[in-house]
Structures are given as structure tokens and as C-alpha cells.
């Protein structure tokens, strides 16, 4: 009877070549995102802000004159227009802002 010889897996197949591990040198990373409060000086944003302030002043004037019916109708319209204007200006600001 013949004697069989056993082989282990690493002896039959050589392990794949692995490059030696090298450590990366540490480096300092700086953010290049320029955020400045002067970015809010966009003419479109300033125009929308001026319109909103104008609407608030008109409401105050109508309240002082005592024209409550007209003020109530004005407030109903502005309750829809002001949030739409605000979110539109916010979306416009982030779309046109250079990151």
C-alpha cells in the first residue's frame, strides 16, 4: 500500500504579493469654503428684504388709520405670500452662493 502525503493550502499556493505598509505623513488640511456675512449683500436678497419691510410698514400705517377691514384682507394675502417669498429667497441664496 502506498503512503499518501498531505499538503497544506499555503504550501500549494503562494500568498498574493502585498506591498509593504507605509504610513502617510500627517498634513494640515484647511477649509477652502469662503463664508462671509457680506454674501448677504446680494441685490436680489436686499430687494426682497426691502419689500418685506415695506409690507410691514404698510400694515402699521393701515392699523393707525383704523382701516381694519382693509388690514384684515391685506393680512390674509400676506399670510401666504410672505412664507413663499422667504423660502424662495432662501433657495435662491443657496443656489447662487459659490461653495
Amino acid at each position: 500500500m502506498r503512503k499518501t502525503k498531505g499538503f497544506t493550502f499555503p504550501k500549494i499556493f503562494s500568498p498574493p504579493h502585498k506591498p509593504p505598509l507605509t504610513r502617510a505623513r500627517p498634513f494640515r488640511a484647511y477649509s477652502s469654503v469662503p463664508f462671509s456675512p457680506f454674501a448677504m449683500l446680494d441685490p436680489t436678497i436686499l430687494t426682497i428684504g426691502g419689500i418685506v419691510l415695506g409690507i410691514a410698514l404698510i400694515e402699521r400705517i393701515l392699523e393707525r388709520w383704523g382701516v381694519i377691514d382693509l388690514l384684515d384682507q391685506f393680512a390674509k394675502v400676506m399670510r401666504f405670500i410672505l412664507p413663499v417669498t422667504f423660502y424662495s429667497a432662501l433657495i435662491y441664496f443657496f443656489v447662487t452662493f459659490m461653495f
Side-chain angles (χ1 to χ4, degrees):
M1 200 172 198
R2 280 182 148 172
K3 190 174 183 183
T4 58
K5 198 173 189 185
F7 293 101
T8 59
F9 184 78
K11 288 183 180 178
I12 296 173
F13 298 105
S14 64
H17 176 68
K18 292 183 181 176
L21 294 175
T22 57
R23 291 185 178 243
R25 287 182 282 156
F27 64 96
R28 293 181 187 229
Y30 296 99
S31 175
S32 63
V33 177
F35 186 77
S36 169
F38 294 114
M40 293 297 289
L41 294 177
D42 183 36
T44 306
I45 300 295
L46 290 176
T47 303
I48 292 172
I51 291 171
V52 170
L53 286 176
I55 290 169
L57 288 174
I58 290 171
E59 284 184 344
R60 290 288 182 179
I61 291 170
L62 289 176
E63 184 180 355
R64 284 193 184 190
W65 287 352
V67 191
I68 303 299
D69 294 334
L70 184 60
L71 181 64
D72 187 40
Q73 295 296 325
F74 194 72
K76 285 180 184 177
V77 172
M78 289 300 116
R79 193 177 300 147
F80 173 74
I81 291 176
L82 288 179
V84 170
T85 306
F86 170 75
Y87 288 116
S88 300
L90 192 66
I91 290 169
Y92 172 79
F93 175 72
F94 283 115
V95 166
T96 59
F97 183 67
M98 297 296 291
F99 283 104

